Amino acid sequence: MSVEILDGRTVQSFVEDEGAFNDSVDGRFAALDADHDGLLSYPEMAREIMSLRVLEKHFGIDEAGAVGPDELAKLYRGLFARFDRDGNGAVDRQEFRAEMKEVMLAVANGLGFMPVQMVVEEGSFLKVAVDRELARAA
């Protein structure tokens, strides 16, 4: 992890650079595609979805048992369904790219135009966006 300064324009510019964005997203897709069939099943994406800690980060629920296992499973399945746009039970590369683009543009919109200092994970899309901007400025 590292502390970086970024704003919405940093993220938006990264998403608009189709080559850089697709390379990064395709790399994540390949890392998740455990059986190398070109599709992501729910089990292949589940660990990644769960690692986002959506409940803890966005809804302030950080207690074990605060949400029942059925509710939690429904939430995670719902997140998977956002990626599985055609509803066939698997996420192809184009669906993954399209949803990640929406997610990253929502992040850009949320960040706005004022620079913020943020802790980002190495290899994350945000870190790639910052590194890309720094390389362009150099």
Side-chain angles (χ1 to χ4, degrees):
M1 287 195 202
S2 62
V3 177
E4 305 291 347
I5 296 174
L6 68 153
D7 62 10
R9 185 69 191 132
T10 301
V11 178
Q12 183 177 350
S13 175
F14 170 57
V15 173
E16 289 172 352
D17 180 346
E18 205 169 299
F21 181 74
N22 286 346
D23 285 349
S24 184
V25 171
D26 290 353
R28 179 69 54 87
F29 184 92
L32 294 173
D33 186 13
D35 61 6
H36 309 291
D37 66 352
L39 298 170
L40 299 178
S41 63
Y42 177 75
E44 286 174 317
M45 282 191 68
R47 186 172 36 178
E48 183 86 357
I49 290 170
M50 291 175 199
S51 76
L52 298 174
R53 294 179 44 122
V54 172
L55 288 176
E56 297 89 335
K57 290 181 180 177
H58 301 289
F59 299 106
I61 302 170
D62 205 9
E63 297 176 25
V67 175
D70 291 341
E71 248 183 297
L72 201 53
K74 186 176 178 181
L75 172 71
Y76 291 139
R77 285 278 181 191
L79 289 172
F80 178 78
R82 292 273 314 182
F83 283 86
D84 182 16
R85 292 170 175 224
D86 62 10
N88 70 350
V91 176
D92 64 34
R93 186 177 309 272
Q94 294 306 318
E95 289 172 316
F96 192 73
R97 280 182 182 173
E99 187 60 25
M100 288 311 307
K101 182 175 184 175
E102 279 190 33
V103 167
M104 293 303 292
L105 288 175
V107 168
N109 188 48
L111 286 171
F113 65 92
M114 295 295 291
V116 295
Q117 193 171 17
M118 181 184 293
V119 175
V120 296
E121 290 185 42
E122 293 300 322
S124 70
F125 295 127
L126 290 176
K127 178 66 171 149
V128 173
V130 169
D131 290 347
R132 179 185 163 278
E133 185 173 83
L134 290 172
R136 290 178 55 166

